[in-house]
Amino acid sequence: MAKIAFILLSHKDPRAIINQAQRLTAAGDYIAIHFDARSSRADYEMIRGALADNPSVAFAKKRVKAGWGEWSLVEGTLEAVKAAVDAFPRATHFYMVSGDCMAIKSAEYAHEFLDSEDVDYIESFDFFESDWIKTGMKEDRLIYRHYFNERSQKWLFYNSYEWQKKLGLKRDVPADLQIMIGSQWWCLRRRTIEWILDFIAKRPDVMRFFRSTWIPDETFFQTLVRHMVPADEISTRTLTFLMFTDYGMPVTFYNDHFDLLLSQDYLFARKISPEAHELKRRLGALYAAEGVEFKLSNEGRSLFKFLTGRGRIGQRFAPRFWEAESTLGRDRELLIIVAKKWHVGKRLLDRVKQVTNIPVIEYLFDEEATPLPDLGGIQSTLEKRTRHRRALMRMLYDYFETDRLAIALDPNNMDLLRDFYADRSTTRLLEVESEFADDWILGHAKRVGLAGERTPEDALAKLLPTVRSDFYFESDRIRDADFPNAYLMRETASPEENAPALAKFLTIPEERALEIARTEYLFTD
């Protein structure tokens, strides 16, 4: 059975470190601790004294003064790894954690998980080809030497960097290495750890290279594991659940996140708030528990993106490529049906086509599988359709040999609506207002990844009003935009009440509009 040696990097809160070590070792696992040399000697002695009688605890022989982005973080990790390898010969896996991490599964579950597949768990993406680095310095992390701390020695860091560029002091990456990048929170098998320790003893050139790279904790282990371990024995993921805000800061978890954390497909999570005492108590008890069944839904990241994204709706400033393209055509007319319930929008389009013979296209900017003619590849992906929206629409008008075209859009497409209304063509809009039952909202949340089949009931109860409110917010934005030629059709209205709006939208007699409005199954879920 798997036996885990946790590699703990820490620099504060000695009492929390003691508690964490006691919790993890009580379940039969081990822990090796590196406590930052910059931190208090008294705190370090407190930790050592409290854990002195625990044979499942080891300490790094050398304490390193660690700094963010520096080699010292990797050096401290290696010191703890060496201590763990020597002290715990029965350890099968070595798992990186910090003082802010806590288990979100039981030890029983974690051991069975690691036993189920003989692989190393480490994010390992090609440094140059992947988009793991979103902004800032990329290649220059490697080809220039970085001896100063970017946070505490900014002037030295950036001036050293600029002078190297001016003097052309580039260096080569070790020829036999494919540099990889990923999260520092890995879980590696004993054999892999022993290979790494053997490798670094034989390759001082590689050690010299990484000692002066910037943020090597994201590249060192990731590169060496990929260099030595067969690809089919690497699972390119972390077992620690963590999220980052748009500002690059880790998301912090609090007492009310207990159910959310347990439903994620991970063994640990960070960062747990120091003030989340109830969450720590419950998670601490969980690790030692037996027979616990976990219902995984794994919607944490998509839910966080949804909830935080609601507050970030703003204006664009830079022109898009498609905005420079020519008009749809002054004599052309675009009819847009906006409906949150896609099945309602599709049924309405189908009836419009039957009654008026106007060519219709369903949610072409929302649904990849929307049937479209071959237009030379511009229609092949949602990204291409959206980026070249005017060109795509012109080609569709030409394909159908028409000056009138009806499409359906989800109400979240405000950029599309504004752009089409800014065109010289005539644009008309019909918003279809539907009623949203709890069951339908729940199904929608599952379809878009905000909830899963096993999401706890109390989490769903909190989610439903938020999603419903978001629907209303999208509708309010459309109405606040005060688009001309905009009409409203309501599920709660009678066909006779909806017919005038349909007639004006389609510019057809009210009798024919009433024929469409009387479609019996139109609003059926």
Side-chain angles (χ1 to χ4, degrees):
M1 186 178 77
K3 300 277 284 186
I4 306 170
F6 292 100
I7 308 301
L8 173 63
L9 295 191
S10 56
H11 66 281
K12 62 180 180 180
D13 201 351
R15 177 51 56 190
I17 294 169
I18 293 167
N19 292 339
Q20 187 177 33
Q22 290 172 336
R23 281 193 301 266
L24 295 177
T25 57
D29 291 314
Y30 312 105
I31 190 168
I33 300 171
H34 177 271
F35 192 68
D36 197 324
R38 298 181 191 273
S39 301
S40 164
R41 179 74 188 182
D43 286 349
Y44 179 59
E45 293 299 337
M46 179 196 298
I47 297 168
R48 292 209 66 142
L51 300 173
D53 296 331
N54 190 330
S56 297
V57 178
F59 290 86
K61 293 181 180 179
K62 176 185 175 185
R63 291 176 65 202
V64 177
K65 292 182 178 180
W68 184 88
E70 295 181 7
W71 167 255
S72 54
L73 279 176
V74 178
E75 187 180 4
T77 303
L78 288 172
E79 289 297 326
V81 166
K82 292 173 184 176
V85 169
D86 292 340
F88 311 127
R90 295 180 60 201
T92 60
H93 293 78
F94 295 75
Y95 194 129
M96 271 282 294
V97 292
S98 75
D100 297 320
C101 295
M102 286 200 70
I104 57 174
K105 299 291 186 293
S106 64
E108 180 182 63
Y109 181 98
H111 296 153
E112 290 176 357
F113 181 95
L114 294 176
D115 282 335
S116 66
E117 197 170 3
D118 188 20
V119 296
D120 295 306
Y121 295 92
I122 183 169
E123 283 189 352
S124 181
F125 303 100
D126 187 279
F127 186 93
F128 298 100
E129 299 298 328
S130 73
D131 63 347
W132 201 86
I133 299 175
K134 302 296 184 185
T135 60
M137 193 184 296
K138 188 170 183 178
E139 181 186 30
D140 291 358
R141 289 190 188 191
L142 307 177
I143 64 174
Y144 296 109
R145 297 163 180 83
H146 303 278
Y147 297 109
F148 303 102
N149 186 287
E150 192 268 345
R151 292 188 174 178
S152 62
Q153 300 168 299
K154 260 188 201 304
W155 189 89
L156 290 171
F157 179 90
Y158 285 107
N159 275 277
S160 167
Y161 167 55
E162 292 299 332
W163 273 107
Q164 289 182 73
K165 288 201 294 184
K166 289 178 182 178
L167 296 173
L169 299 179
K170 290 183 180 180
R171 62 174 176 175
D172 293 328
V173 173
D176 60 330
L177 293 184
Q178 178 186 7
I179 303 300
M180 310 298 288
I181 192 167
S183 167
Q184 71 180 106
W185 309 108
W186 41 254
C187 178
L188 303 177
R189 296 167 296 174
R190 185 180 194 92
R191 183 186 67 178
T192 302
I193 288 290
E194 290 173 345
W195 282 352
I196 290 173
L197 295 179
D198 184 58
F199 180 89
I200 64 179
K202 295 177 180 178
R203 293 292 300 271
D205 60 317
V206 172
M207 299 299 283
R208 281 195 301 272
F209 172 78
F210 278 107
R211 279 194 183 99
S212 55
T213 60
W214 190 41
I215 321 182
D217 54 304
E218 293 179 350
T219 55
F220 179 76
F221 289 97
Q222 296 79 358
T223 298
L224 296 195
V225 170
R226 183 66 65 173
H227 181 69
M228 293 180 285
V229 178
D232 60 357
E233 294 183 25
I234 300 173
S235 179
T236 310
R237 59 161 295 188
T238 174
L239 297 180
T240 298
F241 179 60
L242 67 162
M243 298 188 295
F244 290 89
T245 69
D246 285 355
Y247 306 101
M249 300 301 292
V251 173
T252 301
F253 300 108
Y254 297 93
N255 290 334
D256 57 350
H257 288 129
F258 180 79
D259 291 327
L260 171 72
L261 292 176
L262 263 60
S263 66
Q264 306 311 305
D265 186 19
Y266 296 85
L267 304 184
F268 277 71
R270 74 179 304 266
K271 300 173 82 171
I272 308 298
S273 169
E275 287 77 39
H277 302 298
E278 178 64 13
L279 178 61
K280 288 185 175 183
R281 184 192 66 76
R282 296 177 73 184
L283 291 178
L286 175 69
Y287 195 67
E290 296 182 356
V292 180
E293 292 187 10
F294 296 92
K295 298 179 180 179
L296 305 181
S297 56
N298 221 33
E299 75 281 359
R301 285 194 172 87
S302 56
L303 181 58
F304 175 77
K305 181 179 179 182
F306 165 72
L307 292 174
T308 55
R310 295 171 72 234
R312 300 200 191 109
I313 299 167
Q315 298 295 316
R316 294 178 285 104
F317 297 103
R320 301 293 198 259
F321 168 79
W322 45 264
E323 290 176 322
E325 295 178 358
S326 58
T327 178
L328 301 186
R330 187 181 297 277
D331 298 325
R332 285 173 169 166
E333 190 173 4
L334 178 62
L335 307 174
I336 304 176
I337 291 175
V338 175
K340 192 65 185 181
K341 289 186 174 180
W342 290 8
H343 62 280
V344 174
K346 291 178 180 180
R347 289 172 187 164
L348 183 55
L349 274 180
D350 186 57
R351 286 294 288 148
V352 166
K353 182 180 179 181
Q354 292 174 14
V355 174
T356 68
N357 287 322
I358 297 173
V360 302
I361 306 172
E362 297 173 355
Y363 291 81
L364 74 165
F365 295 107
D366 300 289
E367 196 170 28
E368 193 93 58
T370 298
L372 289 170
D374 185 355
L375 303 173
I378 194 174
Q379 83 293 341
S380 59
T381 67
L382 284 176
E383 182 185 7
K384 286 185 179 180
R385 296 176 204 170
T386 304
R387 188 189 315 139
H388 308 300
R389 58 191 75 176
R390 293 194 187 185
L392 172 67
M393 295 307 298
R394 289 200 311 273
M395 295 173 77
L396 288 170
Y397 279 109
D398 291 340
Y399 177 84
F400 288 110
E401 298 180 347
T402 184
D403 287 330
R404 300 188 82 200
L405 192 62
I407 66 172
L409 289 181
D410 189 279
N412 65 12
N413 289 307
M414 280 300 293
D415 273 356
L416 280 163
L417 291 173
R418 288 194 180 99
D419 185 61
F420 286 137
Y421 263 101
D423 194 84
R424 289 200 296 265
S425 60
T426 299
T427 301
R428 298 179 183 276
L429 184 149
L430 177 68
E431 182 186 356
V432 182
E433 183 182 271
S434 296
E435 297 297 296
F436 301 107
D438 286 354
D439 287 345
W440 189 88
I441 294 178
L442 177 58
H444 171 82
K446 291 178 179 179
R447 286 190 294 275
V448 299
L450 299 179
E453 293 297 332
R454 298 178 178 179
T455 301
E457 290 296 326
D458 58 341
L460 292 176
K462 296 175 183 177
L463 180 63
L464 289 177
T466 304
V467 177
R468 178 179 277 108
S469 175
D470 202 63
F471 292 164
Y472 295 145
F473 173 70
E474 291 175 347
S475 181
D476 287 342
R477 278 203 303 161
I478 292 173
R479 296 175 196 180
D480 290 344
D482 199 23
F483 293 123
N485 302 319
Y487 309 98
L488 181 64
M489 181 176 176
R490 290 188 170 94
E491 180 178 356
T492 55
S494 67
E496 289 74 18
E497 291 171 320
N498 282 328
L502 267 170
K504 292 176 183 177
F505 171 67
L506 296 169
T507 58
I508 59 175
E510 281 198 23
E511 309 87 71
R512 296 176 68 195
L514 184 59
E515 184 181 346
I516 298 173
R518 282 176 172 166
T519 303
E520 293 183 3
Y521 55 85
L522 188 59
F523 290 101
T524 304
D525 284 339

